[in-house]
Structure formats: structure tokens, C-alpha cells
Coordinates of all heavy atoms in Angstrom, one line a residue:
R1 N 0.8 -1.2 0.0 CA 0.0 0.0 0.0 C 0.9 1.3 0.0 O 0.4 2.4 -0.2 CB -0.9 0.0 1.2 CG -2.1 0.9 1.1 CD -3.1 0.8 2.3 NE -3.7 -0.5 2.4 CZ -4.7 -0.9 1.7 NH1 -5.3 0.0 0.9 NH2 -5.2 -2.1 1.8
I2 N 2.2 1.1 0.2 CA 3.1 2.3 0.3 C 3.5 2.6 -1.1 O 4.2 1.8 -1.8 CB 4.3 2.0 1.2 CG1 3.8 1.8 2.6 CG2 5.3 3.1 1.1 CD1 4.9 1.4 3.6
P3 N 3.2 3.8 -1.6 CA 3.6 4.2 -3.0 C 5.1 4.4 -3.1 O 5.8 4.8 -2.2 CB 2.9 5.6 -3.2 CG 1.9 5.7 -2.1 CD 2.5 4.9 -1.0
V4 N 5.6 4.1 -4.3 CA 7.0 4.3 -4.7 C 7.0 5.3 -5.7 O 6.3 5.2 -6.8 CB 7.6 3.0 -5.2 CG1 9.1 3.2 -5.7 CG2 7.7 1.9 -4.1
I5 N 7.8 6.4 -5.5 CA 7.9 7.5 -6.5 C 9.1 7.3 -7.4 O 10.2 7.1 -6.9 CB 8.0 8.9 -5.8 CG1 6.8 9.0 -4.8 CG2 7.9 10.0 -6.9 CD1 5.5 9.0 -5.3
V6 N 8.9 7.3 -8.7 CA 9.9 6.9 -9.7 C 10.1 8.0 -10.7 O 9.1 8.5 -11.3 CB 9.6 5.5 -10.3 CG1 10.7 5.1 -11.2 CG2 9.3 4.5 -9.3
A7 N 11.3 8.3 -11.0 CA 11.6 9.3 -12.1 C 12.8 8.7 -13.0 O 13.8 8.3 -12.4 CB 12.1 10.6 -11.5
G8 N 12.5 8.6 -14.3 CA 13.5 8.1 -15.2 C 14.0 6.7 -14.8 O 15.2 6.4 -15.0
G9 N 13.2 5.9 -14.3 CA 13.5 4.5 -13.9 C 14.2 4.4 -12.5 O 14.5 3.3 -12.1
R10 N 14.5 5.5 -11.9 CA 15.2 5.5 -10.6 C 14.2 5.8 -9.5 O 13.4 6.8 -9.6 CB 16.3 6.5 -10.5 CG 17.4 6.2 -11.6 CD 18.6 7.1 -11.5 NE 19.3 6.8 -10.3 CZ 20.6 7.2 -10.1 NH1 21.2 7.9 -11.1 NH2 21.2 7.0 -9.0
I11 N 14.2 5.1 -8.4 CA 13.3 5.4 -7.3 C 13.7 6.6 -6.5 O 14.9 6.6 -6.0 CB 13.2 4.1 -6.4 CG1 12.5 3.0 -7.1 CG2 12.4 4.5 -5.1 CD1 12.4 1.7 -6.3
L12 N 12.8 7.6 -6.4 CA 13.1 8.8 -5.7 C 12.8 8.7 -4.2 O 13.5 9.2 -3.3 CB 12.3 10.0 -6.3 CG 12.8 10.6 -7.6 CD1 11.8 11.8 -7.9 CD2 14.2 11.1 -7.5
W13 N 11.6 8.1 -4.0 CA 11.1 8.1 -2.6 C 10.2 6.9 -2.4 O 9.3 6.6 -3.2 CB 10.3 9.4 -2.5 CG 9.8 9.8 -1.1 CD1 10.3 9.4 0.1 CD2 8.6 10.6 -0.8 NE1 9.5 9.9 1.1 CE2 8.5 10.6 0.6 CE3 7.7 11.2 -1.6 CZ2 7.5 11.3 1.3 CZ3 6.7 11.9 -0.9 CH2 6.6 12.0 0.4
V14 N 10.4 6.2 -1.3 CA 9.5 5.2 -0.8 C 8.6 6.0 0.2 O 9.1 6.4 1.3 CB 10.2 4.0 -0.1 CG1 9.1 3.0 0.4 CG2 11.1 3.3 -1.1
V15 N 7.4 6.3 -0.1 CA 6.7 7.4 0.6 C 6.5 7.1 2.1 O 6.1 6.0 2.4 CB 5.3 7.6 0.0 CG1 4.5 8.6 0.8 CG2 5.4 8.1 -1.5
G16 N 6.9 8.0 2.9 CA 6.8 7.9 4.3 C 7.9 7.0 5.0 O 7.9 6.8 6.2
V17 N 8.8 6.4 4.1 CA 9.8 5.5 4.7 C 11.2 6.1 4.5 O 12.0 6.3 5.4 CB 9.7 4.1 4.0 CG1 10.8 3.2 4.6 CG2 8.3 3.6 4.2
R18 N 11.7 6.3 3.2 CA 13.0 6.8 3.0 C 13.1 7.4 1.6 O 12.5 6.9 0.6 CB 14.0 5.6 3.0 CG 15.5 6.0 2.9 CD 15.9 6.8 4.1 NE 16.0 6.0 5.3 CZ 17.0 5.3 5.7 NH1 18.1 5.3 4.9 NH2 17.0 4.6 6.8
A19 N 13.9 8.5 1.5 CA 14.1 9.2 0.2 C 15.4 8.8 -0.3 O 16.3 8.3 0.4 CB 14.1 10.7 0.4
S20 N 15.5 8.9 -1.6 CA 16.8 8.5 -2.3 C 17.8 9.7 -2.2 O 17.4 10.9 -2.1 CB 16.5 8.2 -3.8 OG 17.7 8.1 -4.6
G21 N 19.1 9.3 -2.4 CA 20.1 10.3 -2.5 C 20.2 10.9 -3.9 O 20.9 11.9 -4.2
F22 N 19.5 10.2 -4.9 CA 19.5 10.7 -6.3 C 18.8 12.1 -6.4 O 17.7 12.2 -5.8 CB 18.8 9.7 -7.2 CG 18.6 10.2 -8.6 CD1 19.6 10.5 -9.4 CD2 17.3 10.4 -9.0 CE1 19.4 11.0 -10.7 CE2 17.0 10.8 -10.3 CZ 18.1 11.1 -11.2
A23 N 19.4 13.0 -7.1 CA 18.8 14.3 -7.3 C 18.6 15.1 -6.0 O 17.6 15.9 -5.8 CB 17.4 14.2 -8.0
R24 N 19.4 14.8 -5.0 CA 19.3 15.6 -3.7 C 19.6 17.0 -3.9 O 20.2 17.5 -4.8 CB 20.3 15.0 -2.7 CG 21.7 15.2 -3.0 CD 22.6 14.6 -1.9 NE 24.0 14.9 -2.1 CZ 24.8 14.2 -2.9 NH1 24.3 13.2 -3.6 NH2 26.1 14.6 -3.0
V25 N 19.0 17.8 -3.0 CA 19.1 19.3 -3.0 C 20.5 19.6 -2.5 O 20.9 19.2 -1.4 CB 18.0 19.9 -2.2 CG1 18.3 21.4 -2.1 CG2 16.6 19.7 -2.7
T26 N 21.2 20.5 -3.2 CA 22.6 20.9 -2.8 C 22.6 22.5 -2.9 O 21.7 23.1 -3.4 CB 23.6 20.3 -3.8 OG1 23.4 20.9 -5.1 CG2 23.5 18.8 -3.9
P27 N 23.7 23.1 -2.5 CA 23.8 24.5 -2.5 C 23.7 25.1 -4.0 O 23.4 26.2 -4.2 CB 25.2 24.8 -1.9 CG 25.4 23.7 -1.0 CD 24.8 22.5 -1.7
S28 N 24.0 24.2 -5.0 CA 23.9 24.7 -6.4 C 22.5 24.4 -7.0 O 22.3 24.8 -8.2 CB 25.0 24.0 -7.2 OG 24.8 22.6 -7.2
T29 N 21.6 23.9 -6.3 CA 20.3 23.6 -6.8 C 19.6 24.9 -7.1 O 19.6 25.8 -6.3 CB 19.5 22.8 -5.8 OG1 20.0 21.5 -5.6 CG2 18.0 22.6 -6.3
R30 N 19.0 25.1 -8.3 CA 18.3 26.3 -8.7 C 16.8 26.1 -8.4 O 16.2 27.1 -8.0 CB 18.5 26.6 -10.2 CG 19.9 26.9 -10.5 CD 20.1 27.4 -12.0 NE 19.5 26.4 -12.9 CZ 18.4 26.6 -13.6 NH1 17.7 27.6 -13.4 NH2 18.0 25.6 -14.4
R31 N 16.2 25.0 -8.8 CA 14.8 24.8 -8.6 C 14.6 23.5 -7.8 O 15.2 22.5 -8.0 CB 14.1 24.7 -10.0 CG 14.0 26.0 -10.8 CD 13.1 25.9 -12.0 NE 13.6 24.9 -12.9 CZ 13.0 24.5 -14.0 NH1 11.8 25.0 -14.3 NH2 13.5 23.6 -14.9
V32 N 13.6 23.6 -6.9 CA 13.4 22.5 -5.9 C 12.0 21.9 -6.2 O 11.0 22.6 -6.3 CB 13.5 23.0 -4.5 CG1 13.2 21.9 -3.5 CG2 14.9 23.6 -4.2
L33 N 12.0 20.6 -6.2 CA 10.7 19.8 -6.2 C 10.4 19.4 -4.8 O 11.2 18.6 -4.2 CB 10.8 18.6 -7.2 CG 9.6 17.6 -7.1 CD1 8.4 18.2 -7.7 CD2 10.0 16.4 -7.9
R34 N 9.3 19.8 -4.3 CA 8.8 19.3 -3.0 C 7.6 18.3 -3.2 O 6.7 18.7 -3.9 CB 8.4 20.4 -2.1 CG 7.8 20.0 -0.8 CD 7.3 21.1 0.1 NE 6.6 20.6 1.3 CZ 5.3 20.4 1.3 NH1 4.5 20.6 0.3 NH2 4.7 20.0 2.5
L35 N 7.8 17.1 -2.6 CA 6.7 16.2 -2.7 C 6.2 16.0 -1.3 O 7.0 15.8 -0.3 CB 7.1 14.8 -3.3 CG 7.7 14.9 -4.7 CD1 8.2 13.5 -5.1 CD2 6.6 15.3 -5.7

């Protein structure tokens, strides 16, 4: 029942459990996606 969020074949977030280190926000990030 727990959704898995996927972008480009890579898992971004197991909702409510753990986020991926892929595409993490860094000091050089210009635009942020908040889920």
C-alpha cells in the first residue's frame, strides 16, 4: 500500500519511509521539487 515515486527509472522516494540520494538538493540547486 506504500507508494514508490519513480523518475527516469530510478526510485526517488518510498513514501513515508526513505528518500533517495539521487537528485538531492545541494547549494547549487536552482529549482526544488517538494513532494
Side-chain angles (χ1 to χ4, degrees):
R1 200 176 294 279
I2 295 176
V4 175
I5 309 299
V6 183
R10 302 185 67 163
I11 292 178
L12 285 181
W13 187 26
V14 180
V15 175
V17 181
R18 185 67 67 88
S20 169
F22 171 64
R24 68 183 184 275
V25 175
T26 69
S28 61
T29 297
R30 293 187 305 107
R31 293 188 295 173
V32 177
L33 169 67
R34 174 183 174 270
L35 300 176

